Amino acid sequence: MVLDFFDSHPPWLNLITVLKSVLLIWQRHLLNARDLPHAYMHHEYENRLDTNKTLIPLDNMVQCSFFVGPYKISAFRCCTIVISPNPDEEVRIICFVDGCRLFNPPLPAGYYGNAIATPVAISTARNLCKQPLDFTLELVMKTKSKMTEDYIKSVADLMVIKGRPHFTVV
């Protein structure tokens, strides 16, 4: 009855067609940690001391998602300038990357396990604030381009080895 209602409304047609035709599958073993872990350098999970007292408690952080583009990167740079960190302080941009498309063979249709990674683009505050905008865009693009199937599997390995650490916010 409900599906019939949704079928009669064109905006929902694609979603309902997908829901009716693709069975959701778990197959967790596809992203289990490996017997011989191979961990990349995961800067996003490093233990770092807040030596400059710039740590913002997670409860006070504003989270927002956006597609990388000149206006968003420019806004990030402006916020960094306003905060006025030490010019030599390391600044990080966390990139959330869906790794599902990176697998060969591809993850099965309907797979709904977690294949997300959070690599970070790292720069000094000086470079972020003084370099042209394309410097920051290139930094983010280079970080995202390093994402591979092996990197995603390495994150799974790291989660087991380090006990599911939270990504670094310092």
Coordinates of all heavy atoms in Angstrom, one line a residue, residues 4-62:
D4 N 2.8 1.5 -3.2 CA 1.9 2.0 -4.3 C 1.8 3.5 -4.2 O 1.8 4.2 -5.2 CB 0.6 1.3 -4.2 CG 0.7 -0.2 -4.5 OD1 1.6 -0.5 -5.2 OD2 -0.2 -0.9 -4.0
F5 N 1.7 4.1 -3.0 CA 1.6 5.5 -2.9 C 2.8 6.2 -3.4 O 2.8 7.1 -4.2 CB 1.4 5.9 -1.4 CG 1.5 7.4 -1.1 CD1 0.5 8.2 -1.5 CD2 2.7 7.9 -0.6 CE1 0.6 9.6 -1.2 CE2 2.8 9.3 -0.4 CZ 1.7 10.1 -0.7
F6 N 4.0 5.7 -3.0 CA 5.2 6.3 -3.5 C 5.4 6.1 -5.0 O 6.0 7.0 -5.6 CB 6.4 5.7 -2.7 CG 6.6 6.3 -1.3 CD1 6.6 5.4 -0.2 CD2 6.7 7.6 -1.1 CE1 6.8 5.9 1.0 CE2 6.8 8.1 0.2 CZ 6.8 7.3 1.2
D7 N 5.0 5.0 -5.5 CA 5.2 4.7 -6.9 C 4.4 5.7 -7.8 O 4.8 6.0 -8.9 CB 4.7 3.3 -7.3 CG 5.7 2.3 -6.9 OD1 6.9 2.6 -6.8 OD2 5.3 1.1 -6.8
S8 N 3.4 6.3 -7.2 CA 2.5 7.3 -7.9 C 3.1 8.7 -8.0 O 2.6 9.5 -8.6 CB 1.1 7.3 -7.4 OG 1.1 7.9 -6.1
H9 N 4.2 8.9 -7.2 CA 4.8 10.2 -7.2 C 6.2 10.2 -7.8 O 7.1 9.6 -7.3 CB 4.9 10.7 -5.7 CG 3.6 11.0 -5.1 ND1 2.7 10.0 -4.7 CD2 3.0 12.1 -4.9 CE1 1.7 10.5 -4.2 NE2 1.8 11.8 -4.3
P10 N 6.4 10.8 -8.9 CA 7.6 10.8 -9.7 C 8.9 11.1 -8.9 O 9.9 10.4 -9.1 CB 7.4 11.8 -10.8 CG 6.0 11.9 -11.0 CD 5.4 11.6 -9.6
P11 N 8.9 12.0 -7.9 CA 10.2 12.3 -7.2 C 10.7 11.1 -6.5 O 11.9 10.9 -6.3 CB 9.9 13.4 -6.3 CG 8.7 14.1 -6.9 CD 7.9 13.0 -7.6
W12 N 9.8 10.2 -6.1 CA 10.2 9.0 -5.3 C 10.4 7.8 -6.2 O 10.9 6.8 -5.7 CB 9.1 8.7 -4.3 CG 9.0 9.7 -3.2 CD1 8.1 10.8 -3.2 CD2 9.8 9.9 -2.1 NE1 8.3 11.6 -2.1 CE2 9.4 11.0 -1.4 CE3 10.9 9.2 -1.5 CZ2 10.0 11.5 -0.2 CZ3 11.5 9.6 -0.4 CH2 11.0 10.7 0.3
L13 N 10.1 7.9 -7.4 CA 10.2 6.7 -8.3 C 11.6 6.1 -8.3 O 11.7 4.9 -8.2 CB 9.7 7.1 -9.7 CG 9.5 6.0 -10.6 CD1 8.5 5.0 -10.1 CD2 9.1 6.5 -12.0
N14 N 12.6 6.9 -8.5 CA 13.9 6.3 -8.5 C 14.3 5.6 -7.2 O 14.9 4.5 -7.2 CB 15.0 7.4 -8.9 CG 14.8 7.8 -10.3 OD1 14.3 7.1 -11.2 ND2 15.3 9.0 -10.6
L15 N 14.1 6.3 -6.1 CA 14.4 5.7 -4.8 C 13.7 4.4 -4.6 O 14.2 3.4 -4.2 CB 14.1 6.7 -3.7 CG 14.2 6.1 -2.3 CD1 15.7 5.8 -2.0 CD2 13.7 7.1 -1.3
I16 N 12.4 4.4 -4.9 CA 11.6 3.1 -4.7 C 12.0 2.0 -5.6 O 12.2 0.9 -5.2 CB 10.1 3.4 -4.9 CG1 9.6 4.4 -3.8 CG2 9.3 2.2 -4.8 CD1 9.9 4.0 -2.4
T17 N 12.4 2.4 -6.8 CA 12.9 1.4 -7.8 C 14.2 0.7 -7.3 O 14.3 -0.5 -7.3 CB 13.1 2.0 -9.2 OG1 11.9 2.6 -9.6 CG2 13.6 1.0 -10.2
V18 N 15.0 1.6 -6.7 CA 16.3 1.0 -6.1 C 16.0 0.2 -4.9 O 16.5 -0.9 -4.8 CB 17.2 2.2 -5.8 CG1 18.4 1.7 -4.9 CG2 17.8 2.9 -7.0
L19 N 15.1 0.6 -4.1 CA 14.8 -0.1 -2.9 C 14.1 -1.5 -3.2 O 14.3 -2.5 -2.5 CB 13.8 0.7 -1.9 CG 14.5 1.8 -1.2 CD1 13.4 2.6 -0.4 CD2 15.6 1.4 -0.3
K20 N 13.3 -1.5 -4.3 CA 12.7 -2.7 -4.7 C 13.6 -3.7 -5.4 O 13.5 -4.9 -5.3 CB 11.5 -2.4 -5.6 CG 10.3 -1.9 -5.0 CD 9.2 -1.7 -6.0 CE 7.9 -1.2 -5.5 NZ 7.0 -0.9 -6.6
S21 N 14.7 -3.2 -6.0 CA 15.5 -4.0 -6.9 C 16.8 -4.4 -6.3 O 17.4 -5.4 -6.8 CB 15.7 -3.3 -8.2 OG 16.4 -2.1 -8.1
V22 N 17.3 -3.7 -5.3 CA 18.6 -4.0 -4.7 C 18.5 -4.5 -3.3 O 18.0 -3.8 -2.4 CB 19.6 -2.8 -4.7 CG1 20.9 -3.1 -4.1 CG2 19.8 -2.3 -6.1
L23 N 18.9 -5.7 -3.1 CA 18.8 -6.2 -1.7 C 20.1 -5.7 -0.9 O 21.2 -5.8 -1.5 CB 18.8 -7.8 -1.7 CG 17.6 -8.4 -2.4 CD1 17.8 -9.9 -2.4 CD2 16.4 -8.1 -1.6
L24 N 19.8 -5.3 0.3 CA 20.9 -4.8 1.1 C 21.7 -6.0 1.6 O 21.1 -7.0 2.1 CB 20.4 -3.9 2.2 CG 19.7 -2.7 1.8 CD1 19.2 -1.9 3.0 CD2 20.6 -1.8 1.0
I25 N 23.0 -5.9 1.5 CA 23.8 -7.0 2.0 C 24.9 -6.5 2.9 O 25.4 -5.4 2.8 CB 24.5 -7.8 0.8 CG1 25.3 -6.9 0.0 CG2 23.5 -8.6 0.1 CD1 26.1 -7.6 -1.1
W26 N 25.3 -7.3 3.9 CA 26.3 -6.8 4.9 C 27.7 -7.3 4.5 O 28.5 -6.5 4.3 CB 25.9 -7.4 6.3 CG 26.8 -7.1 7.4 CD1 27.4 -7.9 8.3 CD2 27.1 -5.7 7.8 NE1 28.1 -7.2 9.2 CE2 28.0 -5.9 8.9 CE3 26.9 -4.5 7.3 CZ2 28.5 -4.8 9.6 CZ3 27.5 -3.4 8.0 CH2 28.3 -3.6 9.1
Q27 N 27.9 -8.5 4.3 CA 29.2 -9.1 3.9 C 30.4 -8.3 4.6 O 31.3 -7.9 4.0 CB 29.4 -9.1 2.4 CG 28.4 -10.0 1.8 CD 28.7 -10.2 0.3 OE1 29.7 -9.8 -0.2 NE2 27.8 -10.9 -0.4
R28 N 30.3 -8.3 5.9 CA 31.3 -7.5 6.7 C 32.7 -8.0 6.4 O 33.7 -7.3 6.5 CB 31.0 -7.7 8.2 CG 31.9 -6.9 9.1 CD 31.4 -7.0 10.5 NE 32.4 -6.3 11.3 CZ 32.0 -5.7 12.4 NH1 30.8 -5.8 12.9 NH2 32.9 -5.0 13.1
H29 N 32.9 -9.3 6.1 CA 34.2 -9.9 5.9 C 35.0 -9.1 4.8 O 36.2 -9.2 4.8 CB 34.1 -11.3 5.5 CG 33.5 -11.6 4.2 ND1 32.1 -11.6 4.1 CD2 34.0 -11.8 3.0 CE1 31.8 -11.8 2.8 NE2 33.0 -12.0 2.1
L30 N 34.3 -8.4 3.9 CA 35.0 -7.7 2.8 C 36.0 -6.6 3.3 O 36.9 -6.3 2.7 CB 34.0 -7.1 1.9 CG 33.1 -8.1 1.1 CD1 32.1 -7.4 0.3 CD2 34.0 -8.9 0.2
L31 N 35.7 -6.1 4.5 CA 36.5 -5.0 5.1 C 37.0 -5.4 6.5 O 37.3 -4.5 7.3 CB 35.8 -3.7 5.1 CG 35.6 -3.0 3.7 CD1 34.8 -1.8 3.8 CD2 36.9 -2.8 3.1
N32 N 37.1 -6.7 6.8 CA 37.8 -7.1 8.0 C 39.2 -6.7 8.0 O 39.8 -6.6 6.9 CB 37.6 -8.6 8.3 CG 36.2 -8.9 8.8 OD1 35.5 -8.1 9.2 ND2 36.0 -10.2 8.9
A33 N 39.8 -6.6 9.2 CA 41.3 -6.4 9.3 C 42.0 -7.7 8.7 O 41.4 -8.8 8.8 CB 41.7 -6.2 10.7
R34 N 43.1 -7.5 8.2 CA 43.9 -8.5 7.5 C 44.7 -9.3 8.5 O 45.1 -8.7 9.6 CB 44.7 -8.0 6.4 CG 43.8 -7.4 5.3 CD 44.6 -6.6 4.3 NE 45.0 -5.3 4.8 CZ 45.5 -4.4 4.1 NH1 45.7 -4.5 2.8 NH2 45.9 -3.2 4.6
D35 N 45.1 -10.5 8.2 CA 46.0 -11.3 9.1 C 47.3 -10.7 9.2 O 48.0 -10.7 10.3 CB 46.1 -12.7 8.6 CG 44.8 -13.5 8.8 OD1 44.0 -13.1 9.7 OD2 44.5 -14.4 8.1
L36 N 47.8 -10.1 8.1 CA 49.1 -9.4 8.1 C 48.8 -8.0 7.8 O 48.8 -7.5 6.7 CB 50.1 -10.0 7.1 CG 50.5 -11.4 7.3 CD1 51.3 -12.0 6.1 CD2 51.3 -11.6 8.6
P37 N 48.5 -7.2 8.9 CA 48.1 -5.8 8.7 C 49.2 -5.0 7.9 O 50.4 -5.2 8.1 CB 48.0 -5.2 10.1 CG 48.1 -6.3 11.0 CD 48.7 -7.5 10.3
H38 N 48.8 -4.1 7.1 CA 49.6 -3.2 6.4 C 49.1 -1.8 6.6 O 48.1 -1.4 6.0 CB 49.7 -3.5 4.9 CG 50.5 -2.6 4.1 ND1 49.9 -1.6 3.3 CD2 51.8 -2.3 4.1 CE1 50.9 -0.9 2.7 NE2 52.0 -1.3 3.2
A39 N 49.7 -1.1 7.5 CA 49.1 0.2 7.9 C 50.0 1.3 7.2 O 51.2 1.3 7.3 CB 49.1 0.4 9.4
Y40 N 49.3 2.2 6.5 CA 49.9 3.4 6.0 C 50.1 4.3 7.1 O 49.7 4.1 8.2 CB 48.9 4.0 5.0 CG 48.8 3.4 3.6 CD1 48.1 2.2 3.5 CD2 49.4 3.9 2.5 CE1 48.0 1.6 2.3 CE2 49.3 3.3 1.3 CZ 48.6 2.1 1.2 OH 48.5 1.5 0.0
M41 N 50.8 5.4 6.9 CA 50.9 6.5 7.9 C 49.5 7.2 7.9 O 49.2 7.8 6.9 CB 52.0 7.5 7.5 CG 52.1 8.7 8.4 SD 52.3 8.2 10.2 CE 54.0 8.0 10.3
H42 N 48.8 7.0 8.9 CA 47.4 7.6 9.0 C 47.5 8.8 9.9 O 47.3 8.7 11.2 CB 46.4 6.6 9.6 CG 46.1 5.5 8.6 ND1 45.3 5.6 7.6 CD2 46.6 4.2 8.5 CE1 45.2 4.5 6.9 NE2 46.0 3.6 7.4
H43 N 47.9 10.0 9.4 CA 48.0 11.2 10.1 C 46.6 11.5 10.8 O 46.6 12.2 11.8 CB 48.4 12.4 9.2 CG 49.7 12.2 8.7 ND1 50.9 12.3 9.4 CD2 50.1 11.9 7.4 CE1 51.9 12.1 8.6 NE2 51.5 11.8 7.4
E44 N 45.5 11.1 10.3 CA 44.2 11.4 10.8 C 44.0 10.8 12.2 O 43.1 11.2 12.9 CB 43.1 11.0 9.9 CG 43.0 9.5 9.5 CD 43.8 9.1 8.3 OE1 44.9 9.7 8.0 OE2 43.4 8.2 7.6
Y45 N 44.8 9.8 12.6 CA 44.7 9.1 13.8 C 45.9 9.2 14.7 O 46.0 8.5 15.7 CB 44.4 7.6 13.6 CG 43.1 7.4 12.9 CD1 43.1 7.0 11.6 CD2 41.8 7.6 13.5 CE1 41.9 6.8 10.9 CE2 40.7 7.4 12.8 CZ 40.7 7.0 11.5 OH 39.5 6.8 10.8
E46 N 46.8 10.1 14.4 CA 48.0 10.4 15.3 C 47.6 10.9 16.6 O 46.6 11.7 16.8 CB 48.9 11.4 14.6 CG 49.6 11.0 13.4 CD 50.4 12.1 12.8 OE1 50.0 13.3 12.9 OE2 51.4 11.8 12.2
N47 N 48.4 10.5 17.6 CA 48.2 11.1 19.0 C 49.1 12.3 19.0 O 50.3 12.3 18.8 CB 48.7 10.1 20.1 CG 47.7 9.0 20.2 OD1 46.5 9.1 20.1 ND2 48.3 7.8 20.6
R48 N 48.4 13.5 19.2 CA 49.1 14.7 19.1 C 48.8 15.5 20.4 O 47.7 15.5 20.9 CB 48.8 15.6 17.9 CG 49.1 14.9 16.6 CD 48.9 15.7 15.4 NE 49.4 17.1 15.5 CZ 50.7 17.4 15.2 NH1 51.6 16.6 14.9 NH2 51.0 18.7 15.3
L49 N 49.9 16.2 20.9 CA 49.7 17.0 22.1 C 49.2 18.4 21.7 O 49.6 18.9 20.7 CB 51.0 17.1 22.9 CG 51.5 15.8 23.5 CD1 52.9 16.1 24.1 CD2 50.5 15.2 24.5
D50 N 48.3 19.0 22.5 CA 47.8 20.3 22.2 C 48.8 21.3 22.8 O 48.5 22.0 23.8 CB 46.4 20.5 22.8 CG 45.8 21.8 22.4 OD1 46.3 22.4 21.5 OD2 44.8 22.2 23.1
T51 N 50.0 21.5 22.2 CA 51.0 22.3 22.8 C 50.7 23.8 22.6 O 51.2 24.6 23.4 CB 52.4 22.0 22.1 OG1 52.3 22.2 20.7 CG2 52.9 20.6 22.4
N52 N 49.9 24.2 21.6 CA 49.5 25.6 21.4 C 48.2 25.9 22.0 O 47.7 27.0 21.8 CB 49.5 25.9 19.9 CG 50.8 25.7 19.3 OD1 51.9 26.0 19.9 ND2 50.9 25.2 18.1
K53 N 47.6 25.0 22.8 CA 46.3 25.2 23.4 C 45.2 25.7 22.4 O 44.5 26.6 22.7 CB 46.4 26.3 24.6 CG 47.5 25.9 25.6 CD 47.1 24.7 26.4 CE 48.1 24.3 27.4 NZ 48.3 22.9 27.6
T54 N 45.2 25.0 21.3 CA 44.2 25.3 20.3 C 43.1 24.3 20.1 O 42.3 24.4 19.2 CB 44.9 25.5 18.9 OG1 45.6 24.3 18.6 CG2 45.8 26.7 18.9
L55 N 43.2 23.3 21.0 CA 42.2 22.2 20.9 C 40.8 22.8 21.3 O 40.6 23.4 22.3 CB 42.5 21.1 21.9 CG 41.5 19.9 21.9 CD1 41.5 19.2 20.6 CD2 41.9 18.9 23.0
I56 N 39.9 22.5 20.4 CA 38.5 22.9 20.6 C 37.7 21.6 21.0 O 37.8 20.6 20.2 CB 37.9 23.5 19.3 CG1 38.6 24.7 18.9 CG2 36.4 23.8 19.5 CD1 38.2 25.3 17.5
P57 N 37.1 21.6 22.2 CA 36.4 20.4 22.6 C 35.3 20.0 21.5 O 34.7 20.9 20.8 CB 35.7 20.8 23.9 CG 36.4 22.0 24.4 CD 37.0 22.7 23.1
L58 N 35.2 18.7 21.3 CA 34.3 18.2 20.2 C 32.9 18.8 20.4 O 32.2 19.0 19.4 CB 34.2 16.7 20.2 CG 35.5 16.0 19.7 CD1 35.4 14.5 19.9 CD2 35.7 16.4 18.2
D59 N 32.5 19.0 21.7 CA 31.1 19.5 21.9 C 31.0 21.0 21.4 O 29.9 21.4 21.1 CB 30.8 19.5 23.4 CG 30.7 18.1 24.0 OD1 30.6 17.2 23.2 OD2 30.7 18.0 25.2
N60 N 32.1 21.7 21.2 CA 32.0 23.1 20.8 C 32.3 23.2 19.3 O 32.4 24.3 18.8 CB 33.0 23.9 21.6 CG 32.6 24.0 23.0 OD1 31.5 23.7 23.4 ND2 33.6 24.4 23.9
M61 N 32.6 22.1 18.6 CA 33.0 22.2 17.2 C 31.7 22.2 16.4 O 30.7 21.6 16.7 CB 33.8 21.0 16.8 CG 35.2 21.1 17.1 SD 36.1 19.8 16.3 CE 37.7 20.0 16.9
V62 N 31.8 22.9 15.3 CA 30.7 22.9 14.3 C 31.1 22.0 13.2 O 32.2 22.1 12.6 CB 30.5 24.3 13.7 CG1 29.4 24.3 12.6 CG2 30.1 25.3 14.8

